[in-house]
Amino acid sequence: MAASFHVLHTGYNDDRGTTGTVSLVLDGEAVIVVDPGMLADREDVLVPLRALGHVPEDVTHVFLTHHHPDHSMNAALFPNAAIVDFWAEYRGADWLDHQGHGHRLSPHTTMILTPGHTNEDATLLVETDDGMVACTHLWWYADRTPEVDPLADDQAALEASRAKVLEVADIVVPGHGAPFHVHR
């Protein structure tokens, strides 16, 4: 059975402020929250989490696509979760290095390194019954804008990472918007 994927909060970056898109992956024993960053109200994530039958203590992993506050600020809402980024897993006082590219958080999730927005960006690939979902910050919004990332550490690397993700993803969850489908 493949993982299930849910958007807990659709992010935005406009006159209301800045929030990242926050997602939930359920994969066997794993309960993974992706990018719990800045929110107007923490209930914006906690209410949909509870509606899906989970409380913060159930979360086993928090995956960060990168370390900007709009994607990482609320990681501590999940007290039992290991925090996973591009190069390590952090649990309590333990810093546990992992292989980086290809690291698996659960049977149906794989992390790939996708530098560009920052040099430390990673994307979480999730195998679902609806296809491969990619949680990433290679795009900000569902319309794939901005084409040129004004905050990119390396636009050329970002373009290469985008191509890599588009080769495997059926659905992309951008950093600040609703998911979009990839049409090949």
Side-chain angles (χ1 to χ4, degrees):
M1 185 166 147
S4 65
F5 174 82
H6 311 272
V7 172
L8 296 176
H9 171 76
T10 301
Y12 51 82
N13 185 16
D14 57 26
D15 59 351
R16 295 173 290 174
T18 299
T19 68
T21 297
V22 183
S23 303
L24 176 69
V25 177
L26 303 173
D27 189 17
E29 299 289 317
V31 179
I32 304 165
V33 171
V34 180
D35 280 351
M38 293 167 54
L39 298 163
D41 185 331
R42 290 177 176 163
E43 291 297 310
D44 291 346
V45 166
L46 298 177
V47 167
L49 180 69
R50 287 191 294 268
L52 290 165
H54 292 281
V55 295
E57 291 78 11
D58 295 341
V59 175
T60 60
H61 300 82
V62 169
F63 179 79
L64 303 176
T65 59
H66 62 298
H67 284 273
H68 288 167
D70 53 331
H71 297 272
S72 62
M73 190 166 169
N74 280 296
L77 280 176
F78 309 99
N80 300 321
I83 308 299
V84 181
D85 68 5
F86 73 104
W87 71 343
E89 182 172 310
Y90 314 93
R91 189 175 288 278
D94 295 326
W95 178 317
L96 308 167
D97 291 336
H98 59 63
Q99 68 199 42
H101 193 81
H103 178 64
R104 296 182 80 81
L105 280 68
S106 64
H108 296 96
T109 63
T110 305
M111 181 186 79
I112 62 172
L113 300 180
T114 52
H117 181 67
T118 73
N119 292 324
E120 297 81 23
D121 270 22
T123 294
L124 186 65
L125 299 176
V126 182
E127 301 166 36
T128 74
D129 289 338
D130 295 325
M132 185 68 75
V133 176
C135 299
T136 189
H137 200 293
L138 295 171
W139 294 272
W140 291 28
Y141 309 113
D143 65 359
R144 301 186 191 193
T145 61
E147 188 174 320
V148 175
D149 184 334
L151 301 178
D153 284 348
D154 185 335
Q155 185 68 32
L158 182 114
E159 294 298 331
S161 293
R162 284 176 174 173
K164 182 172 28 175
V165 167
L166 290 176
E167 286 178 15
V168 298
D170 299 298
I171 300 167
V172 173
V173 182
H176 299 278
F180 63 84
H181 289 270
V182 176
H183 303 286
R184 292 181 184 74

